[in-house]
Structures are given as structure tokens and as C-alpha cells.
Amino acid sequence: MVSLRDIKSRISSTKKTSQITKAMQMVSASKLNRAENNAKTFVPYMDKIQEVVASIALGSKDVTHPMLVSRPVKKTGYLVITSDRGLAGAYNSSILRLVHQKIQERHSSKDEYAIIAIGRMGRDFFRSRGANIALEITALPDQPSFSDINKLATQAVSLFSDGEYDELYMYYNHFVSAIQQDVTEKKVLPLTDIASSNKLTAYEFEPSAEEILEVLLPQYAESLIYGALLDAKASEHAARMSAMKTATDNASELIDSLTLQYNRARQAAITQEITEIVGGAAALE
Amino acid sequence: MKTLKVSIVTPDGPAYESEVEMVSTKAQSGELGILPGHIPMVAPLQIGAVRLNKSAGKPDLVAVTGGFVEVRPDQVTILAQAAEAAENIDIERAQEAKTRAEGRLNDNREDIDRIRAELALKRAINRINVYEGQV
């Protein structure tokens, strides 16, 4: 039989834990709010750059650029966006599982792929499996600005241009709503699926379409990576928020059942005492 | 007089938005002045200043780090990875960045990326110039 004191101390420690998870839930909620705003301010930039890229790449058929052309794939780059810390439910594990599975399917040797890791969880996962990590960045702020990721994005794009790998995939959690985040695979390079949203504008190019693509395409690819990072950050905060909410709910359930157990034990103790007194009095008669 | 709608957007959000009479900036092929009614055009920009002439008062200045300009008859959009209007420039940070870049270039070590350091120096000088209005 568990003693009253044991139950009491379990109740109080569970209460403390639930206070922490509750606080973490509220912190994540406010971070999620700001992350959503960040993603919103990025939209006009992305829309515009997409429009111009589509106009040039699809408008003039005779224009080509290495970044638009698929070449035979000898090596593949995988850019994996995870969080630095855990306590975010299945946020990291679902991404890592997908990437791991894809790699197992596509490649037979470690020389055929390289990992670009954003976030400590992903880096540690691939490092412990001995994968080749080409680039890594950890400890990004919760509200990253473009300058935080600029260097990594530029390097990731130039590794493609230099022929280090021949295609680049990106894996991240796409933010759907506060309770739903979808693991997403996206091909970044070569830029084969440029969506044309509305009617294309016929531009004059100064000095020439090729030279503009030279500037524009890397900038476009970098902004794709930044966009994914913003999306992933929003998902991370949302995932952490719901994980902490579940933890808080579980804690209060646990406290309820422990309190019930405590009361029962207390009552049993009282009943036993009364029985003993009554028994003692009866023996005296 | 006719005006143009100008917006300067960066990945971190819009940096400048206004109606102006003329936009002048430095494209990679040289100085570029845009008036309302310009044919649609796209041009990459140098690290430099964008001067925005309004109907009254002094022209606005914005520092941009490259990127490109998209022109339409009634609208100009500048897409840059970073842009700061003159009044928003943190001059101390710019000075620090300049000193740091100069130090790196003067070190002459093998392991530094000279092109990166030169670009950083250019950006810092550009910000300082825009802040002081010397363009």
C-alpha cells in the first residue's frame, strides 16, 4: 500500500511539472503568433520574385541557365530543417523518418548524398549515422531574419552550381494550422517547376536575360530556402504548443486520479483507526 | 505631374513604399533613371543607393544590397536581400561593419574569403554614404 506522504509528494511534483508545461505552451503560442507574422511579411517578396522568374524563364524560350536544366544525377543534396530542442511532439521524428526512408530507397552508398542540416536535432541524427554533412547551422533565433540564413543559403546554392551535387531536395514541416503540420518534400534545384501564377509580362532586359537570370535565380533559390525556414519555424512553435498542451492535460488528469487515490487512502486510514478504537473499547467491556 | 508607385521589398518585409516622381539608381550596366510611363523592364542592381524624388522636399534615399528592379509603366518594385531607408540606418553598426571588413582585408590571411570581405566593406560604405546623404 502506498503511503499518504508518497501520494502527496507525487501530486505536488506533477503540479509543478504542469505549471512548467503550461508556461511553455503559452510561450510557444506567442512565438507562433510572431512566426506567422514573419511568414506573412515575406509573402510579397516571394510573390514578386516568383512572378519575375516565371516571366523570364517561361516568357523567352531561348533563354537557359544551368540552374534551370536537369542534369544526370550523381549526387543528391538533402536540406533538412529541424528544431534545436525537443519537446515538440513528433515534429523532428516525422521529418527525420521520412528523409531517412527516402535516402534508404534512393541510395546504396554514403557517397551518393550530402546533408545540409538546419537545426541541431537533424544534425545529430545524421552525424550519429555517419552521413556526410556538407553544411550545418544550429542555434537559429526563434524569429530568424534573412541575414541569419543568408550565408548557408548562398553556400547551398553554390554547391549546386559548382557541381558538388546535381539536385537539391528540401524537407520541412509545412504549417497548415495550429494543430496540423505536414511533412513536405520540395525540390529546390534545378528549378524545374516554376509555377506561372497569372499572365506573364513581357519585359525588356537590361543588359540581357541571361545576365539577369545569373542574379535572379540564386536569389530566388535562396528565398525558397528562407521561405521554408519561416514555414518550419511556425510549425515548430505550433507543434511545441500542442505537445505542451497535451502534456498539461495529461498532468491534470494524473493529478485528478492521484487526488482520488489520496482521498481513498486517507479515508481507509481513518476507518481503520475508528475500527481499532471501537475494537479496543469493546475489548474493555 | 504623374507619379510612380515604388515599393522596396526584402525577405524581412517591405522596407519602403511611396508615390514618387522619379527613381534613380545604379544598375549593373550603369546609372538608371525611371520616370512614369517607362516600358516594362528588369535589371540587376549594384550595391548602392536608390534616390526617390518626390514633388516636394528633399529626395528620399534608400540603401540596397544588390538585388534587382522590376519596372512597369506605373509601378517600380525593387527586390533586394536587404534594404534600409536613410533614417533607419544604424550608423554605429555600419561603422563597426566597415572597420571589421577593413581589418579582415588588411589581415591578408589565407583562410579568409576576400570577395566576401570586399562585399561586406562595400555594403558598409554604402550604408554610411546613404546615412550622410552623400550619393
Side-chain angles (χ1 to χ4, degrees):
Chain A
M1 166 109 189
V2 199
S3 81
L4 280 178
R5 218 150 47 119
D6 288 346
I7 301 178
K8 204 164 193 178
S9 74
R10 274 194 69 193
I11 291 178
S12 75
S13 81
T14 315
K15 260 189 190 146
K16 276 178 200 147
T17 313
S18 81
Q19 276 169 353
I20 294 170
T21 55
K22 179 99 198 197
M24 285 175 78
Q25 180 197 334
M26 288 191 308
V27 168
S28 294
S30 83
K31 280 181 180 167
L32 169 63
N33 225 330
R34 282 179 54 199
E36 273 187 282
N37 279 337
N38 288 350
K40 233 173 262 165
T41 55
F42 175 66
V43 169
Y45 178 83
M46 196 65 220
D47 282 353
K48 203 74 205 174
I49 200 165
Q50 200 142 26
E51 191 184 320
V52 176
V53 168
S55 293
I56 299 175
L58 306 173
S60 33
K61 281 276 165 271
D62 49 338
V63 181
T64 57
H65 186 273
M67 281 170 74
L68 292 171
V69 185
S70 306
R71 54 192 192 218
V73 177
K74 289 196 282 293
K75 197 168 175 180
T76 310
Y78 292 93
L79 193 150
V80 185
I81 305 179
T82 54
S83 69
D84 280 339
R85 287 174 300 139
L87 295 182
Y91 177 84
N92 291 310
S93 56
S94 51
I95 285 193
L96 294 176
R97 192 181 324 122
L98 177 75
V99 180
H100 192 61
Q101 191 189 331
K102 291 273 178 195
I103 288 176
Q104 298 289 330
E105 275 170 27
R106 287 180 190 156
H107 309 292
S108 52
S109 106
K110 285 196 170 112
D111 303 327
E112 286 174 16
Y113 63 91
I115 303 286
I116 298 171
I118 299 182
R120 183 174 301 127
M121 302 304 262
R123 184 197 65 183
D124 293 350
F125 178 86
F126 288 108
R127 180 174 286 169
S128 68
R129 274 160 186 76
N132 168 19
I133 298 177
L135 299 169
E136 58 172 72
I137 186 165
T138 55
L140 281 172
D142 281 322
Q143 320 293 340
S145 68
F146 187 71
S147 53
D148 292 321
I149 189 78
N150 194 358
K151 194 175 163 195
L152 178 112
T154 315
Q155 285 172 342
V157 172
S158 62
L159 282 178
F160 173 82
S161 327
D162 298 345
E164 182 61 34
Y165 42 69
D166 306 294
E167 53 180 2
L168 178 63
Y169 288 94
M170 189 159 67
Y171 294 85
Y172 62 98
N173 274 302
H174 171 57
F175 178 77
V176 182
S177 71
I179 49 164
Q180 195 193 348
Q181 299 91 37
D182 293 343
V183 179
T184 311
E185 176 191 46
K186 197 167 175 182
K187 191 172 188 180
V188 188
L189 292 166
L191 297 156
T192 41
D193 52 348
I194 294 169
S196 65
S197 45
N198 37 20
K199 62 179 193 315
L200 306 171
T201 318
Y203 291 108
E204 284 286 308
F205 301 117
E206 177 68 36
S208 69
E210 277 86 2
E211 277 179 63
I212 289 169
L213 287 180
E214 200 66 47
V215 176
L216 189 57
L217 291 181
Q219 200 177 334
Y220 177 59
E222 285 161 25
S223 50
L224 280 179
I225 296 174
Y226 180 61
L229 177 70
L230 288 181
D231 203 348
K233 277 287 174 192
S235 304
E236 179 190 334
H237 298 314
R240 182 161 292 131
M241 189 178 84
S242 43
M244 287 303 116
K245 187 172 184 324
T246 321
T248 313
D249 291 350
N250 285 344
S252 68
E253 221 168 88
L254 188 63
I255 290 170
D256 283 351
S257 80
L258 282 174
T259 312
L260 192 66
Q261 208 182 333
Y262 175 77
N263 287 339
R264 279 203 186 124
R266 189 176 57 111
Q267 209 151 22
I270 293 169
T271 313
Q272 200 186 346
E273 245 171 76
I274 292 175
T275 323
E276 277 165 11
I277 293 169
V278 171
L284 282 180
E285 275 174 14
Chain B
M1 189 168 164
K2 273 191 183 169
T3 56
L4 273 165
K5 210 174 132 217
V6 178
S7 41
I8 300 179
V9 267
T10 69
D12 296 322
Y16 181 90
E17 246 164 291
S18 178
E19 292 275 340
V20 304
E21 287 187 341
M22 178 175 159
V23 182
S24 31
T25 183
K26 233 185 231 162
Q28 286 190 352
S29 47
E31 288 274 350
L32 185 68
I34 302 153
L35 291 167
H38 202 286
I39 49 161
M41 182 188 78
V42 179
L45 297 179
Q46 292 181 27
I47 295 172
V50 181
R51 182 196 293 271
L52 304 126
N53 292 60
K54 292 185 168 178
S55 49
K58 284 213 302 191
D60 286 340
L61 288 174
V62 180
V64 294
T65 59
F68 62 95
V69 58
E70 188 228 8
V71 182
R72 292 178 179 214
D74 56 347
Q75 200 188 357
V76 172
T77 314
I78 292 174
L79 292 162
Q81 298 195 328
E84 284 164 300
E87 63 269 22
N88 295 338
I89 290 176
D90 184 343
I91 186 69
E92 278 171 26
R93 233 192 74 204
Q95 298 278 17
E96 271 169 34
K98 186 181 168 208
T99 329
R100 203 165 50 230
E102 279 170 343
R104 229 175 257 171
L105 285 174
N106 289 336
D107 263 3
N108 242 340
R109 291 209 318 263
E110 290 272 313
D111 56 334
I112 58 156
D113 194 338
R114 284 199 81 79
I115 300 165
R116 269 190 90 80
E118 269 165 28
L119 280 176
L121 181 61
K122 246 186 182 171
R123 284 197 295 265
I125 292 174
N126 177 40
R127 289 219 299 276
I128 295 168
N129 285 345
V130 168
Y131 180 81
E132 291 168 351
Q134 298 170 340
V135 272

